[in-house]
Amino acid sequence: MAYPKLRKAVFPAAGLGTRFLPATKSIPKEMLCLVDKPLIQYGVEEAVAAGCTEIIIVTGRDKGAMEDHFDSSPELEAALAAKNKQSLLDVVRSVSKLAKTVYTRQAEPLGLGHAVLMAKDIVGDEPFCVLLPDDIVDARVPCLKQMVEAFYETQSSILASEVIEGPAISAYGVLDCTPMPQNPRLLAVKGMVEKPKFEEAPSQNAIIGRYILTPRIFAMIESIKPGASGELQLTDAIKALLQHEKVYGFHYEGKRHDAGDKLGFLKATVEFALKRDDLGPPFREWLKNLPV
Ligand code: UTP
């Protein structure tokens, strides 16, 4: 039996964003902007481009700015209309029309697995996508769209994966896997380890913030115990899922930026600004004259 079409995308956005303090003391990390667009909007646009029509954002305390961002803003729209600023009006209106957006709360940041579990009733019994808003993937074909195609081929959970060289691998969930002969982008997953020591990492294939999951994942999250950090880890639940179903890693085509980290955010800002038609040329000129 084939799964129904993927329609729903879950965005866990209830974390504390401690790597970005003090900015994230009152501003949700997901609302930090690359050039002029909040991180979470990049993710929502990617999900919509992949065919998703329902966006589920898992929020926590002080996250109201996200709800306002994806809602219509009658006063701003009226002010822009009165000043004949049509192109800005179109930009503002298009954000609220991207997709149907619903919100659910995670009362405490008890881990990524727990955040995904908060979406259980809204997702129901169908496969769904998970996007971590601070992983920004710049790709010709949106990363999630590439994964959706792989999902329809395999009818199994798919985890986006990137090769990470050296000790930096210890910051990731890491796949124990073998490439599939018929599609070298697909990796058959045998196991996975969350944040292994460099010497103990089973491969260089790190899991990044894009997942397509079958609905059985919810029972798996409910079955696992919190890890050493007291958090319910999504990787532990996917490991449990492996006992029942196949799971694949997927080497996407594109460049990922860890925009939840200050240095990664700076690099992404520079690259995205350089690509802009309006800002790129003067910004490039200005960069050339920097004493670096
Ligand atoms: P991160 O670990 O990158 O986010 O989780 P964080 O915990 O907010 O950041 P730091 O490490 O303290 O700086 C990836 C995504 O998962 C969400 C976060 O909001 C982020 O978008 N998340 C994480 C939750 O929604 N709930 C959690 O309990 C943990």
Side-chain angles (χ1 to χ4, degrees):
M1 183 204 69
Y3 281 114
K5 197 171 167 289
L6 286 158
R7 299 184 299 147
K8 300 183 180 177
V10 176
F11 288 77
L16 297 177
T18 53
R19 283 173 297 157
F20 235 112
L21 282 167
T24 44
K25 200 170 162 221
S26 62
I27 299 167
K29 174 174 70 174
E30 300 76 13
M31 285 301 290
L32 297 176
C33 284
L34 283 186
V35 188
D36 54 7
K37 200 192 285 184
L39 296 179
I40 192 153
Q41 190 181 332
Y42 286 93
V44 169
E45 287 176 355
E46 183 180 327
V48 171
C52 294
T53 49
E54 189 166 332
I55 303 298
I56 301 154
I57 303 184
V58 183
T59 63
R61 278 187 66 246
D62 298 329
K63 300 277 187 171
M66 271 184 287
E67 300 189 23
D68 291 341
H69 184 71
F70 290 108
D71 203 353
S72 60
S73 35
E75 286 158 20
L76 176 61
E77 288 174 30
L80 291 172
K83 290 183 178 160
N84 270 327
K85 300 208 164 170
Q86 190 58 42
S87 58
L88 285 178
L89 187 58
D90 292 344
V91 168
V92 167
R93 283 193 177 141
S94 68
V95 179
S96 55
K97 292 201 172 102
L98 274 171
K100 178 183 168 201
T101 309
V102 296
Y103 300 87
T104 181
R105 298 274 286 208
Q106 183 187 26
E108 273 183 85
L110 296 176
L112 186 54
H114 185 259
V116 171
L117 187 59
M118 298 300 102
K120 177 183 172 191
D121 291 343
I122 308 175
V123 169
D125 193 23
E126 58 183 278
F128 62 103
C129 310
V130 176
L131 295 93
L132 305 191
D134 46 1
D135 263 349
I136 299 287
V137 187
D138 190 12
R140 196 176 44 84
V141 177
C143 176
L144 191 68
K145 189 160 196 275
Q146 301 173 40
M147 294 171 69
V148 165
E149 280 160 22
F151 172 78
Y152 290 139
E153 185 186 323
T154 59
Q155 295 289 315
S156 302
S157 295
I158 307 272
L159 321 176
S161 172
E162 177 182 329
V163 171
I164 301 284
E165 286 170 9
I169 195 82
S170 298
Y172 295 86
V174 183
L175 298 175
D176 180 6
C177 58
T178 45
M180 296 289 288
Q182 74 273 28
N183 181 349
R185 289 201 174 276
L186 274 181
L187 310 163
V189 176
K190 290 181 277 180
M192 61 193 74
V193 189
E194 182 62 24
K195 299 192 171 67
K197 287 188 185 141
F198 173 45
E199 317 75 55
E200 290 166 14
S203 75
Q204 292 185 315
N205 297 297
I207 305 170
I208 65 117
R210 299 286 182 275
Y211 310 75
I212 295 176
L213 298 168
T214 57
R216 186 182 262 158
I217 194 70
F218 293 119
M220 300 297 106
I221 301 172
E222 284 166 334
S223 75
I224 59 169
K225 300 261 174 303
S229 58
E231 297 187 343
L232 280 181
Q233 301 287 0
L234 186 59
T235 35
D236 286 343
I238 300 172
K239 231 179 346 187
L241 187 66
L242 266 175
Q243 308 301 314
H244 304 268
E245 299 176 3
K246 287 187 172 148
V247 173
Y248 293 91
F250 181 75
H251 279 158
Y252 57 93
E253 195 174 61
K255 180 166 184 186
R256 180 186 63 100
H257 297 277
D258 180 3
D261 164 82
K262 287 175 190 171
L263 185 58
F265 184 88
L266 282 174
K267 290 178 182 171
T269 301
V270 171
E271 289 200 15
F272 276 64
L274 283 173
K275 280 187 177 204
R276 286 270 294 248
D277 292 338
D278 54 347
L279 298 168
F283 187 48
R284 181 170 283 103
E285 279 311 303
W286 180 79
L287 282 174
K288 276 188 202 157
N289 293 322
L290 279 187
V292 287

